[in-house]
Amino acid sequence: MAEQPVDKDQTCEGVVECTALVLAENCSDFEGKLTLFGILDEIRPSGGETSFVVYAKFEGCEHAVEGDLRMARILITDEDGTTIDESEEFSVWLDGPENSTTVVAGFEIPEDFGEGGERVLWVEAILDDEALSQTAVRLRERYSV
């Protein structure tokens, strides 16, 4: 079978990437500058509801149409794929690679979720119903050293 020639004028139609997906204990916004506190690679339940924030950064390529609106959300699932929590939808405006959009969503894990030993949470950055980035975080009764 012969290879099809590549059309040099064909574009990728504004591919979007999630270039950051970070979990933190909390965050603050001071004069337009976001600061994340206590970056997490595991979560230790505190005996009650366990809260944390998720930061996601979305960037479009040079083919992104100026003012292209996409919808993003953050999804938290367990190791079986059951949804634990989901953020509201965020508007993501693309304007090429120079401008990125960041979203921050807060989550609370029910106090009984961590019972029964070590568990895993999957955190996904979803854009227009497509998972762009995913990370796993362990829930542990004690911090690992």
Side-chain angles (χ1 to χ4, degrees), residues 38-50:
I39 303 301
L40 299 171
D41 59 358
E42 64 185 26
I43 296 174
R44 191 179 117 201
S46 60
E49 285 191 338
T50 302

Side-chain angles (χ1 to χ4, degrees), residues 51-129:
S51 62
F52 60 94
V53 298
V54 176
Y55 165 90
K57 180 179 180 181
F58 297 95
E59 296 184 44
C61 74
E62 66 271 8
H63 303 113
V65 177
E66 186 173 329
D68 188 15
L69 173 64
R70 310 271 181 104
M71 299 306 291
R73 60 192 164 94
I74 307 297
L75 183 66
I76 310 291
T77 60
D78 67 9
E79 54 270 285
D80 297 325
T82 303
T83 299
I84 303 301
D85 203 356
E86 183 175 349
S87 73
E88 64 185 76
E89 282 199 315
F90 297 94
S91 298
V92 174
W93 290 94
L94 299 178
D95 192 12
E98 297 82 30
N99 297 317
S100 61
T101 299
T102 60
V103 299
V104 177
F107 294 94
E108 291 186 3
I109 302 301
E111 91 179 78
D112 62 343
F113 182 78
E115 291 178 359
E118 187 174 298
R119 305 274 315 258
V120 175
L121 290 178
W122 286 94
V123 180
E124 294 180 81
I126 310 288
L127 187 73
D128 292 338
D129 296 322

